Amino acid sequence: MTGALAMMPSTSSPYPLLAPPTCSSRLPPLRCFIGLRWSAPRIQVREYSDAVAGIAKGAGGRGGRFRGPASSISQPCSRTIVITNEHVQNADFPPNYSRREKKPFPIPVLELRRRAKERAKKAEGKPKRSLPPPKNGMLVKRLIPVAYKVYNARILLINNLKRLMKVIPVKGCKHCSEIHVGSVGHPFRTCKGMSSDKRRGQHDWGGTLVEAVFVPVEAYHLEDRLGKRIPHDQRFAVPRIPALVELCIQAGVNLPEYPTKRRRKPIIKIGKNEFVDANEDDLPDPEPYRLEHPILEELHDDEIIAPASAEEIVTLAEETLEAWEILRDGALKLMKGYAVRVCGYCPEVHIGASGHKARNCGAFKHQQRNGQHGWQAAVLDDLIPPRYVWHMPESGEELQRDLKSFYGQAPAIVEICVQAGAKVPEKYKATMRLDIGIPSSLREAEMVV
Protein backbone atom coordinates (compact mmCIF):
# COMPACT_ATOMS: atom_id res chain seq x y z
CA MET A 1 0.00 0.00 0.00
CA THR A 2 2.83 2.31 0.83
CA GLY A 3 4.50 1.52 -2.49
CA ALA A 4 1.31 2.29 -4.38
CA LEU A 5 1.01 5.63 -2.62
CA ALA A 6 4.59 6.42 -3.49
CA MET A 7 3.88 5.93 -7.20
CA MET A 8 0.94 8.37 -7.21
CA PRO A 9 1.85 11.88 -8.40
CA SER A 10 1.81 14.69 -5.91
CA THR A 11 -1.08 17.14 -6.18
CA SER A 12 0.95 19.97 -4.68
CA SER A 13 3.16 20.44 -7.73
CA PRO A 14 3.67 24.12 -8.69
CA TYR A 15 3.43 23.29 -12.40
CA PRO A 16 0.14 23.27 -14.37
CA LEU A 17 -0.89 19.68 -14.89
CA LEU A 18 -1.81 17.95 -18.15
CA ALA A 19 -4.54 15.38 -18.46
CA PRO A 20 -3.75 11.92 -19.81
CA PRO A 21 -4.86 10.83 -23.27
CA THR A 22 -8.33 12.37 -22.79
CA CYS A 23 -6.85 15.73 -23.78
CA SER A 24 -8.10 17.09 -27.11
CA SER A 25 -4.62 17.82 -28.45
CA ARG A 26 -4.14 16.19 -31.82
CA LEU A 27 -1.73 16.12 -34.73
CA PRO A 28 -2.55 16.21 -38.46
CA PRO A 29 -3.59 12.81 -39.82
CA LEU A 30 -0.95 10.65 -41.36
CA ARG A 31 -2.39 11.04 -44.85
CA CYS A 32 -1.32 14.72 -44.81
CA PHE A 33 2.30 13.57 -44.91
CA ILE A 34 1.96 10.88 -47.58
CA GLY A 35 2.86 11.66 -51.19
CA LEU A 36 4.38 15.06 -50.45
CA ARG A 37 7.70 16.23 -51.74
CA TRP A 38 8.43 18.09 -48.52
CA SER A 39 8.87 16.10 -45.35
CA ALA A 40 6.76 18.37 -43.13
CA PRO A 41 3.86 20.54 -44.20
CA ARG A 42 3.31 23.99 -42.87
CA ILE A 43 1.55 23.66 -39.54
CA GLN A 44 -0.36 26.37 -37.74
CA VAL A 45 -0.34 26.23 -33.93
CA ARG A 46 -3.24 27.74 -32.04
CA GLU A 47 -3.57 27.94 -28.26
CA TYR A 48 -7.05 27.96 -26.86
CA SER A 49 -5.70 29.19 -23.49
CA ASP A 50 -2.42 30.25 -21.94
CA ALA A 51 0.76 28.47 -22.95
CA VAL A 52 1.38 25.20 -21.19
CA ALA A 53 4.23 25.57 -18.79
CA GLY A 54 7.09 23.23 -19.41
CA ILE A 55 6.17 22.87 -23.12
CA ALA A 56 6.13 26.48 -24.31
CA LYS A 57 9.32 27.26 -22.35
CA GLY A 58 10.95 23.92 -23.01
CA ALA A 59 11.19 23.09 -19.33
CA GLY A 60 12.05 19.52 -18.67
CA GLY A 61 12.37 18.76 -22.38
CA ARG A 62 15.34 16.94 -23.87
CA GLY A 63 16.22 16.26 -27.44
CA GLY A 64 13.40 18.43 -28.76
CA ARG A 65 10.66 16.28 -27.15
CA PHE A 66 7.41 17.59 -25.70
CA ARG A 67 7.53 16.72 -22.02
CA GLY A 68 5.37 17.87 -19.12
CA PRO A 69 5.15 17.07 -15.44
CA ALA A 70 3.18 14.21 -14.04
CA SER A 71 -0.57 14.74 -13.93
CA SER A 72 -3.41 13.58 -11.75
CA ILE A 73 -6.14 11.52 -13.41
CA SER A 74 -8.87 13.42 -11.58
CA GLN A 75 -7.72 16.85 -12.80
CA PRO A 76 -9.28 18.03 -16.12
CA CYS A 77 -7.25 19.42 -19.00
CA SER A 78 -8.02 23.16 -19.29
CA ARG A 79 -5.10 24.19 -21.49
CA THR A 80 -4.81 22.58 -24.92
CA ILE A 81 -2.72 23.11 -28.04
CA VAL A 82 -4.43 22.25 -31.33
CA ILE A 83 -2.16 21.76 -34.34
CA THR A 84 -3.96 21.87 -37.67
CA ASN A 85 -2.84 21.75 -41.28
CA GLU A 86 -5.28 24.11 -43.01
CA HIS A 87 -3.58 24.34 -46.42
CA VAL A 88 -2.12 21.37 -48.24
CA GLN A 89 1.38 22.27 -49.35
CA ASN A 90 1.42 20.22 -52.55
CA ALA A 91 -1.41 18.37 -54.27
CA ASP A 92 -1.63 16.00 -57.19
CA PHE A 93 -2.71 17.29 -60.58
CA PRO A 94 -6.31 16.67 -61.68
CA PRO A 95 -6.64 13.15 -63.13
CA ASN A 96 -6.79 12.73 -66.90
CA TYR A 97 -9.39 10.07 -67.65
CA SER A 98 -8.87 7.84 -70.63
CA ARG A 99 -11.23 8.14 -73.55
CA ARG A 100 -11.76 4.40 -73.33
CA GLU A 101 -13.40 4.55 -69.92
CA LYS A 102 -16.56 6.15 -68.61
CA LYS A 103 -16.40 9.16 -66.34
CA PRO A 104 -17.01 8.37 -62.68
CA PHE A 105 -20.33 9.44 -61.20
CA PRO A 106 -20.12 12.45 -58.84
CA ILE A 107 -22.14 10.37 -56.35
CA PRO A 108 -21.84 6.55 -56.52
CA VAL A 109 -24.84 4.69 -57.88
CA LEU A 110 -25.21 2.66 -54.69
CA GLU A 111 -25.41 5.85 -52.66
CA LEU A 112 -28.05 7.25 -55.04
CA ARG A 113 -30.13 4.09 -54.62
CA ARG A 114 -29.80 4.23 -50.86
CA ARG A 115 -30.99 7.85 -50.80
CA ALA A 116 -33.91 7.05 -53.10
CA LYS A 117 -35.03 4.20 -50.84
CA GLU A 118 -34.71 6.43 -47.80
CA ARG A 119 -36.82 9.16 -49.42
CA ALA A 120 -39.47 6.63 -50.46
CA LYS A 121 -39.57 5.22 -46.94
CA LYS A 122 -40.02 8.65 -45.38
CA ALA A 123 -42.76 9.61 -47.87
CA GLU A 124 -44.72 6.39 -47.32
CA GLY A 125 -48.19 7.11 -45.97
CA LYS A 126 -47.82 10.87 -46.27
CA PRO A 127 -49.59 13.18 -48.75
CA LYS A 128 -47.54 14.19 -51.74
CA ARG A 129 -45.92 17.57 -51.52
CA SER A 130 -46.13 20.16 -54.24
CA LEU A 131 -43.11 20.43 -56.49
CA PRO A 132 -40.64 23.15 -55.50
CA PRO A 133 -39.12 25.52 -58.05
CA PRO A 134 -37.62 25.03 -60.57
CA LYS A 135 -39.33 21.63 -60.97
CA ASN A 136 -42.77 23.25 -61.00
CA GLY A 137 -41.85 25.56 -63.87
CA MET A 138 -41.19 28.65 -61.74
CA LEU A 139 -37.88 30.42 -61.28
CA VAL A 140 -35.80 30.31 -58.11
CA LYS A 141 -35.96 33.99 -57.19
CA ARG A 142 -32.83 33.98 -55.06
CA LEU A 143 -30.79 32.71 -58.03
CA ILE A 144 -31.89 35.37 -60.52
CA PRO A 145 -29.25 37.94 -59.41
CA VAL A 146 -26.66 35.17 -59.41
CA ALA A 147 -27.54 34.31 -63.02
CA TYR A 148 -27.04 37.91 -64.15
CA LYS A 149 -23.75 38.09 -62.25
CA VAL A 150 -22.48 34.90 -63.90
CA TYR A 151 -23.52 36.11 -67.35
CA ASN A 152 -21.70 39.44 -66.94
CA ALA A 153 -18.65 37.72 -65.42
CA ARG A 154 -18.37 35.51 -68.49
CA ILE A 155 -18.47 38.50 -70.86
CA LEU A 156 -15.98 40.44 -68.73
CA LEU A 157 -13.66 37.44 -68.56
CA ILE A 158 -13.59 37.01 -72.35
CA ASN A 159 -13.00 40.73 -72.99
CA ASN A 160 -10.19 40.93 -70.44
CA LEU A 161 -8.54 37.77 -71.73
CA LYS A 162 -8.41 39.22 -75.23
CA ARG A 163 -6.62 42.27 -73.86
CA LEU A 164 -4.21 40.31 -71.66
CA MET A 165 -3.25 37.95 -74.47
CA LYS A 166 -1.86 40.95 -76.36
CA VAL A 167 0.84 41.42 -73.70
CA ILE A 168 1.12 37.90 -72.21
CA PRO A 169 2.13 35.41 -74.94
CA VAL A 170 0.16 32.17 -75.13
CA LYS A 171 1.33 29.36 -77.41
CA GLY A 172 -0.74 26.53 -78.84
CA CYS A 173 0.29 23.31 -80.53
CA LYS A 174 -0.59 23.11 -84.22
CA HIS A 175 -1.40 19.40 -84.04
CA CYS A 176 -3.12 18.96 -80.64
CA SER A 177 -5.11 20.99 -78.13
CA GLU A 178 -2.29 21.66 -75.65
CA ILE A 179 -1.39 25.26 -74.82
CA HIS A 180 1.41 26.95 -72.88
CA VAL A 181 1.59 30.39 -71.29
CA GLY A 182 4.97 31.83 -72.19
CA SER A 183 7.05 33.21 -75.02
CA VAL A 184 8.47 29.74 -75.79
CA GLY A 185 6.52 26.48 -75.59
CA HIS A 186 7.47 23.84 -73.05
CA PRO A 187 9.87 21.05 -74.12
CA PHE A 188 7.82 18.09 -72.85
CA ARG A 189 7.04 15.44 -75.47
CA THR A 190 3.33 15.02 -74.82
CA CYS A 191 1.85 15.66 -78.27
CA LYS A 192 -0.63 13.04 -79.47
CA GLY A 193 -1.80 14.80 -82.61
CA MET A 194 -1.26 14.03 -86.26
CA SER A 195 2.21 12.68 -87.13
CA SER A 196 3.28 12.89 -83.49
CA ASP A 197 5.26 9.65 -83.84
CA LYS A 198 7.46 11.26 -86.47
CA ARG A 199 8.14 14.19 -84.17
CA ARG A 200 8.53 11.84 -81.17
CA GLY A 201 5.82 13.68 -79.29
CA GLN A 202 7.43 17.08 -79.74
CA HIS A 203 4.95 19.96 -79.99
CA ASP A 204 4.90 22.37 -82.92
CA TRP A 205 4.09 25.66 -81.22
CA GLY A 206 2.29 28.60 -82.79
CA GLY A 207 -0.24 31.28 -81.95
CA THR A 208 -3.63 30.61 -80.40
CA LEU A 209 -6.99 32.25 -79.70
CA VAL A 210 -8.96 33.00 -76.56
CA GLU A 211 -11.17 29.95 -77.25
CA ALA A 212 -8.18 27.71 -76.48
CA VAL A 213 -7.81 29.31 -73.03
CA PHE A 214 -11.48 29.65 -72.11
CA VAL A 215 -12.92 26.54 -73.73
CA PRO A 216 -16.41 27.12 -75.21
CA VAL A 217 -18.86 24.39 -74.18
CA GLU A 218 -22.09 24.49 -76.20
CA ALA A 219 -25.53 23.12 -75.47
CA TYR A 220 -28.97 23.13 -77.08
CA HIS A 221 -31.19 26.14 -76.33
CA LEU A 222 -34.57 25.09 -74.93
CA GLU A 223 -37.54 27.39 -75.40
CA ASP A 224 -39.34 25.35 -72.75
CA ARG A 225 -37.09 23.64 -70.24
CA LEU A 226 -39.97 21.39 -69.13
CA GLY A 227 -40.96 20.46 -72.67
CA LYS A 228 -40.33 17.26 -74.54
CA ARG A 229 -36.80 16.04 -75.14
CA ILE A 230 -35.11 17.01 -78.38
CA PRO A 231 -35.42 14.07 -80.82
CA HIS A 232 -32.66 12.99 -83.14
CA ASP A 233 -34.42 14.34 -86.23
CA GLN A 234 -34.45 17.91 -84.87
CA ARG A 235 -30.83 18.08 -83.80
CA PHE A 236 -30.02 20.64 -86.51
CA ALA A 237 -33.23 22.68 -86.09
CA VAL A 238 -32.55 23.60 -82.45
CA PRO A 239 -29.93 26.37 -81.99
CA ARG A 240 -26.81 25.69 -79.97
CA ILE A 241 -25.43 28.38 -77.66
CA PRO A 242 -22.77 28.44 -74.92
CA ALA A 243 -23.82 26.16 -72.08
CA LEU A 244 -23.20 28.87 -69.47
CA VAL A 245 -25.49 31.25 -71.35
CA GLU A 246 -28.21 28.58 -71.53
CA LEU A 247 -27.88 27.95 -67.80
CA CYS A 248 -28.22 31.67 -67.08
CA ILE A 249 -31.27 31.93 -69.35
CA GLN A 250 -33.01 29.08 -67.57
CA ALA A 251 -32.13 30.69 -64.23
CA GLY A 252 -33.80 33.99 -65.12
CA VAL A 253 -31.68 36.04 -67.55
CA ASN A 254 -33.88 37.55 -70.26
CA LEU A 255 -32.23 37.84 -73.68
CA PRO A 256 -34.42 38.95 -76.60
CA GLU A 257 -32.38 36.93 -79.12
CA TYR A 258 -33.02 33.71 -77.15
CA PRO A 259 -36.72 33.61 -76.19
CA THR A 260 -37.85 31.19 -73.52
CA LYS A 261 -41.11 30.36 -71.83
CA ARG A 262 -41.70 31.96 -68.42
CA ARG A 263 -44.55 30.52 -66.36
CA ARG A 264 -46.30 32.63 -63.76
CA LYS A 265 -48.13 29.73 -62.11
CA PRO A 266 -46.85 26.28 -61.13
CA ILE A 267 -47.60 23.39 -63.43
CA ILE A 268 -50.28 20.79 -62.66
CA LYS A 269 -49.09 17.17 -62.63
CA ILE A 270 -51.50 14.67 -64.21
CA GLY A 271 -49.13 11.73 -64.36
CA LYS A 272 -45.64 10.63 -63.57
CA ASN A 273 -44.15 12.38 -66.59
CA GLU A 274 -47.15 14.40 -67.78
CA PHE A 275 -48.34 17.83 -66.76
CA VAL A 276 -50.46 20.75 -67.96
CA ASP A 277 -49.91 24.46 -67.57
CA ALA A 278 -52.09 26.29 -65.11
CA ASN A 279 -54.64 28.79 -66.38
CA GLU A 280 -53.15 32.28 -66.25
CA ASP A 281 -56.17 34.18 -67.59
CA ASP A 282 -56.94 35.65 -64.18
CA LEU A 283 -53.50 37.25 -64.03
CA PRO A 284 -52.82 40.67 -65.55
CA ASP A 285 -51.09 40.87 -68.89
CA PRO A 286 -47.33 40.39 -68.62
CA GLU A 287 -45.26 43.52 -68.79
CA PRO A 288 -43.29 44.13 -71.97
CA TYR A 289 -39.68 43.11 -72.02
CA ARG A 290 -37.48 45.38 -69.98
CA LEU A 291 -33.89 45.09 -68.91
CA GLU A 292 -33.92 44.16 -65.23
CA HIS A 293 -30.15 44.17 -64.76
CA PRO A 294 -27.37 45.76 -66.86
CA ILE A 295 -25.85 43.31 -69.32
CA LEU A 296 -22.36 43.60 -70.77
CA GLU A 297 -21.55 43.02 -74.42
CA GLU A 298 -18.69 41.03 -75.88
CA LEU A 299 -16.19 43.15 -77.79
CA HIS A 300 -15.09 42.31 -81.30
CA ASP A 301 -11.46 41.61 -82.05
CA ASP A 302 -10.94 44.98 -83.77
CA GLU A 303 -12.20 46.78 -80.65
CA ILE A 304 -9.65 45.20 -78.32
CA ILE A 305 -7.04 47.64 -76.99
CA ALA A 306 -3.92 46.37 -75.24
CA PRO A 307 -3.13 47.83 -71.79
CA ALA A 308 -0.69 50.71 -72.03
CA SER A 309 1.21 50.62 -68.70
CA ALA A 310 2.42 48.06 -66.20
CA GLU A 311 -0.05 49.29 -63.57
CA GLU A 312 -2.91 48.82 -66.01
CA ILE A 313 -1.75 45.27 -66.74
CA VAL A 314 -1.75 44.37 -63.03
CA THR A 315 -5.17 45.94 -62.50
CA LEU A 316 -6.56 44.11 -65.53
CA ALA A 317 -5.10 40.80 -64.31
CA GLU A 318 -6.65 41.18 -60.86
CA GLU A 319 -10.03 42.06 -62.40
CA THR A 320 -9.81 39.04 -64.69
CA LEU A 321 -8.96 36.71 -61.82
CA GLU A 322 -11.86 38.09 -59.79
CA ALA A 323 -14.23 37.53 -62.73
CA TRP A 324 -12.96 33.93 -63.01
CA GLU A 325 -13.74 33.25 -59.35
CA ILE A 326 -17.17 34.91 -59.59
CA LEU A 327 -17.93 32.83 -62.68
CA ARG A 328 -17.06 29.50 -61.09
CA ASP A 329 -18.66 30.22 -57.72
CA GLY A 330 -21.86 31.52 -59.31
CA ALA A 331 -22.07 28.64 -61.80
CA LEU A 332 -21.73 26.17 -58.93
CA LYS A 333 -24.67 27.82 -57.14
CA LEU A 334 -26.77 27.64 -60.30
CA MET A 335 -25.90 23.97 -60.83
CA LYS A 336 -27.21 23.18 -57.35
CA GLY A 337 -30.59 24.64 -58.29
CA TYR A 338 -30.88 23.73 -61.99
CA ALA A 339 -30.02 20.32 -63.38
CA VAL A 340 -27.00 20.03 -65.70
CA ARG A 341 -26.21 16.76 -67.48
CA VAL A 342 -23.05 15.54 -69.17
CA CYS A 343 -22.33 12.50 -71.28
CA GLY A 344 -20.22 9.94 -69.46
CA TYR A 345 -18.28 9.16 -72.64
CA CYS A 346 -17.87 12.54 -74.44
CA PRO A 347 -17.87 16.24 -73.43
CA GLU A 348 -21.49 16.86 -74.55
CA VAL A 349 -23.40 18.96 -72.00
CA HIS A 350 -27.16 19.45 -71.70
CA ILE A 351 -28.90 22.00 -69.47
CA GLY A 352 -32.03 20.30 -68.22
CA ALA A 353 -33.37 17.52 -66.06
CA SER A 354 -32.94 14.86 -68.78
CA GLY A 355 -30.57 14.88 -71.74
CA HIS A 356 -31.56 15.15 -75.37
CA LYS A 357 -32.08 12.20 -77.70
CA ALA A 358 -29.68 13.25 -80.45
CA ARG A 359 -27.48 10.29 -81.32
CA ASN A 360 -24.28 12.22 -81.99
CA CYS A 361 -21.92 10.65 -79.46
CA GLY A 362 -18.70 9.61 -81.17
CA ALA A 363 -16.79 8.40 -78.13
CA PHE A 364 -15.33 4.96 -77.54
CA LYS A 365 -17.69 2.09 -78.54
CA HIS A 366 -20.45 4.47 -79.60
CA GLN A 367 -21.57 1.86 -82.15
CA GLN A 368 -22.80 -0.37 -79.35
CA ARG A 369 -24.98 2.48 -78.04
CA ASN A 370 -26.13 3.58 -81.53
CA GLY A 371 -24.57 6.98 -80.85
CA GLN A 372 -26.72 7.65 -77.78
CA HIS A 373 -25.24 9.60 -74.90
CA GLY A 374 -24.81 8.17 -71.42
CA TRP A 375 -26.24 11.04 -69.37
CA GLN A 376 -25.19 11.61 -65.80
CA ALA A 377 -24.96 14.51 -63.36
CA ALA A 378 -22.33 17.07 -64.38
CA VAL A 379 -19.68 18.66 -62.21
CA LEU A 380 -18.32 22.19 -62.44
CA ASP A 381 -15.30 21.22 -64.55
CA ASP A 382 -17.62 19.73 -67.18
CA LEU A 383 -19.34 23.09 -67.60
CA ILE A 384 -16.20 25.25 -67.21
CA PRO A 385 -13.08 23.26 -68.16
CA PRO A 386 -10.09 24.78 -66.31
CA ARG A 387 -7.44 23.80 -68.95
CA TYR A 388 -4.41 23.19 -66.72
CA VAL A 389 -1.04 24.39 -68.03
CA TRP A 390 2.51 24.25 -66.69
CA HIS A 391 3.39 26.99 -64.19
CA MET A 392 6.46 29.03 -65.06
CA PRO A 393 8.90 29.52 -62.15
CA GLU A 394 9.25 32.99 -60.68
CA SER A 395 12.91 33.05 -61.69
CA GLY A 396 11.85 33.30 -65.32
CA GLU A 397 13.96 30.34 -66.47
CA GLU A 398 12.62 28.13 -69.24
CA LEU A 399 11.27 24.70 -68.36
CA GLN A 400 13.62 21.74 -68.68
CA ARG A 401 12.41 18.36 -69.83
CA ASP A 402 14.46 16.42 -67.27
CA LEU A 403 12.99 18.40 -64.35
CA LYS A 404 9.33 17.84 -65.23
CA SER A 405 8.42 16.34 -61.87
CA PHE A 406 9.45 19.53 -60.05
CA TYR A 407 7.08 21.88 -61.90
CA GLY A 408 3.50 22.69 -60.97
CA GLN A 409 0.34 23.35 -62.94
CA ALA A 410 -2.49 25.88 -62.79
CA PRO A 411 -5.56 26.75 -64.88
CA ALA A 412 -4.58 28.68 -67.98
CA ILE A 413 -6.56 31.76 -66.95
CA VAL A 414 -4.93 31.79 -63.51
CA GLU A 415 -1.45 31.36 -65.02
CA ILE A 416 -2.02 34.28 -67.40
CA CYS A 417 -3.16 36.53 -64.55
CA VAL A 418 -0.26 35.47 -62.31
CA GLN A 419 2.29 36.19 -65.01
CA ALA A 420 0.60 39.58 -65.51
CA GLY A 421 1.18 40.47 -61.85
CA ALA A 422 -1.90 39.25 -59.97
CA LYS A 423 -1.58 37.60 -56.57
CA VAL A 424 -1.80 33.81 -56.54
CA PRO A 425 -5.08 32.61 -54.92
CA GLU A 426 -4.71 30.22 -52.02
CA LYS A 427 -6.74 27.43 -53.64
CA TYR A 428 -4.26 27.08 -56.55
CA LYS A 429 -1.01 27.14 -54.56
CA ALA A 430 -1.17 23.41 -53.89
CA THR A 431 -1.02 22.37 -57.56
CA MET A 432 1.39 25.16 -58.54
CA ARG A 433 3.99 23.72 -56.13
CA LEU A 434 5.38 27.10 -55.18
CA ASP A 435 7.26 25.73 -52.16
CA ILE A 436 9.34 23.22 -54.12
CA GLY A 437 12.92 24.15 -54.85
CA ILE A 438 13.74 23.52 -58.51
CA PRO A 439 17.22 22.03 -59.07
CA SER A 440 19.57 23.86 -61.38
CA SER A 441 20.68 20.71 -63.20
CA LEU A 442 19.82 17.05 -63.66
CA ARG A 443 22.71 15.99 -61.44
CA GLU A 444 21.34 18.06 -58.59
CA ALA A 445 17.89 16.58 -59.18
CA GLU A 446 19.27 13.06 -58.85
CA MET A 447 20.62 13.95 -55.41
CA VAL A 448 17.11 14.77 -54.14
CA VAL A 449 15.90 12.10 -51.74
Side-chain angles (χ1 to χ4, degrees):
M1 184 67 180
T2 306
L5 292 176
M7 295 178 63
M8 294 181 62
S10 176
T11 58
S12 61
S13 175
Y15 300 101
L17 300 180
L18 293 176
T22 58
C23 180
S24 61
S25 300
R26 59 185 182 272
L27 291 174
L30 182 61
R31 62 176 178 271
C32 296
F33 299 90
I34 298 177
L36 301 181
R37 296 184 179 275
W38 201 257
S39 58
R42 288 175 291 185
I43 297 176
Q44 181 181 1
V45 180
R46 296 179 295 175
E47 286 191 273
Y48 288 160
S49 60
D50 298 336
V52 180
I55 295 180
K57 297 182 180 180
R62 296 179 182 178
R65 299 179 181 177
F66 288 100
R67 184 174 180 179
S71 61
S72 175
I73 298 178
S74 61
Q75 182 169 353
C77 176
S78 60
R79 297 183 176 94
T80 61
I81 297 179
V82 179
I83 305 176
T84 59
N85 184 14
E86 297 184 353
H87 299 289
V88 181
Q89 183 181 11
N90 299 314
D92 295 334
F93 301 145
N96 294 325
Y97 298 106
S98 174
R99 295 182 179 180
R100 294 175 174 266
E101 60 181 358
K102 193 175 183 293
K103 301 174 187 175
F105 288 93
I107 302 177
V109 178
L110 295 179
E111 177 65 17
L112 293 176
R113 292 176 181 174
R114 187 194 65 80
R115 294 182 183 180
K117 291 180 180 179
E118 185 177 354
R119 288 194 301 266
K121 187 176 181 179
K122 289 182 178 180
E124 186 178 357
K126 297 181 180 179
K128 292 185 178 180
R129 297 180 179 180
S130 58
L131 294 175
K135 294 182 180 180
N136 60 358
M138 306 296 289
L139 295 176
V140 183
K141 294 184 178 180
R142 61 181 177 82
L143 293 180
I144 295 178
V146 179
Y148 277 95
K149 188 179 296 185
V150 170
Y151 183 85
N152 287 333
R154 174 185 174 273
I155 300 298
L156 181 62
L157 180 64
I158 294 175
N159 293 338
N160 289 357
L161 278 177
K162 291 180 180 179
R163 297 184 60 190
L164 281 177
M165 291 178 64
K166 288 185 174 295
V167 293
I168 304 298
V170 181
K171 300 296 181 181
C173 182
K174 298 179 182 179
H175 305 280
C176 68
S177 60
E178 191 159 348
I179 60 175
H180 179 74
V181 182
S183 56
V184 181
H186 64 73
F188 308 132
R189 300 177 180 270
T190 55
C191 182
K192 297 181 180 179
M194 185 180 299
S195 303
S196 59
D197 53 345
K198 298 180 180 179
R199 291 178 280 107
R200 296 183 179 180
Q202 189 73 27
H203 292 281
D204 186 9
W205 299 107
T208 187
L209 301 175
V210 68
E211 288 78 11
V213 179
F214 185 60
V215 182
V217 179
E218 293 186 346
Y220 286 109
H221 171 58
L222 305 179
E223 294 185 0
D224 185 5
R225 57 186 175 87
L226 296 182
K228 295 183 179 180
R229 300 170 65 182
I230 301 174
H232 179 71
D233 300 336
Q234 299 181 6
R235 63 188 185 281
F236 298 120
V238 181
R240 291 180 65 87
I241 62 176
L244 267 175
V245 176
E246 175 63 18
L247 179 61
C248 295
I249 292 175
Q250 293 190 16
V253 175
N254 293 321
L255 299 177
E257 59 269 23
Y258 300 117
T260 185
K261 187 175 183 178
R262 303 293 188 195
R263 293 178 174 85
R264 295 184 291 170
K265 282 187 176 181
I267 60 175
I268 301 175
K269 296 281 289 186
I270 60 176
K272 184 177 181 181
N273 296 323
E274 297 180 359
F275 68 91
V276 294
D277 292 332
N279 188 7
E280 300 179 356
D281 294 340
D282 56 334
L283 298 178
D285 295 336
E287 298 180 1
Y289 172 79
R290 58 187 179 87
L291 198 62
E292 300 178 357
H293 299 269
I295 294 180
L296 301 179
E297 294 183 359
E298 185 175 344
L299 301 177
H300 297 284
D301 294 339
D302 53 355
E303 300 176 356
I304 301 299
I305 301 176
S309 60
E311 293 79 7
E312 187 178 357
I313 295 176
V314 176
T315 304
L316 186 62
E318 293 177 351
E319 184 182 8
T320 305
L321 198 55
E322 182 181 0
W324 169 255
E325 296 299 331
I326 292 175
L327 180 69
R328 289 184 64 88
D329 295 342
L332 185 59
K333 293 179 181 179
L334 295 180
M335 292 177 66
K336 292 180 180 179
Y338 294 85
V340 180
R341 302 297 179 186
V342 66
C343 178
Y345 304 95
C346 71
E348 179 73 11
V349 172
H350 181 79
I351 312 299
S354 56
H356 57 77
K357 294 183 178 180
R359 301 188 298 269
N360 52 6
C361 181
F364 183 64
K365 291 187 178 180
H366 63 90
Q367 300 88 348
Q368 299 180 1
R369 295 176 277 110
N370 196 19
Q372 294 182 357
H373 295 282
W375 298 110
Q376 63 186 45
V379 296
L380 183 60
D381 289 347
D382 296 325
L383 188 65
I384 310 176
R387 284 306 302 270
Y388 276 79
V389 297
W390 292 100
H391 171 61
M392 294 293 294
E394 297 181 357
S395 59
E397 299 179 357
E398 298 297 334
L399 303 181
Q400 301 182 33
R401 188 176 61 181
D402 298 331
L403 304 179
K404 181 179 179 180
S405 59
F406 292 90
Y407 300 122
Q409 290 185 357
I413 296 177
V414 177
E415 180 66 18
I416 292 175
C417 297
V418 169
Q419 292 192 19
K423 185 179 179 181
V424 181
E426 289 291 336
K427 64 173 66 175
Y428 301 110
K429 288 184 178 180
T431 57
M432 295 174 74
R433 298 180 178 176
L434 301 178
D435 298 330
I436 291 183
I438 300 177
S440 58
S441 62
L442 178 60
R443 182 175 181 179
E444 184 178 350
E446 295 175 349
M447 299 173 61
V448 177
V449 179

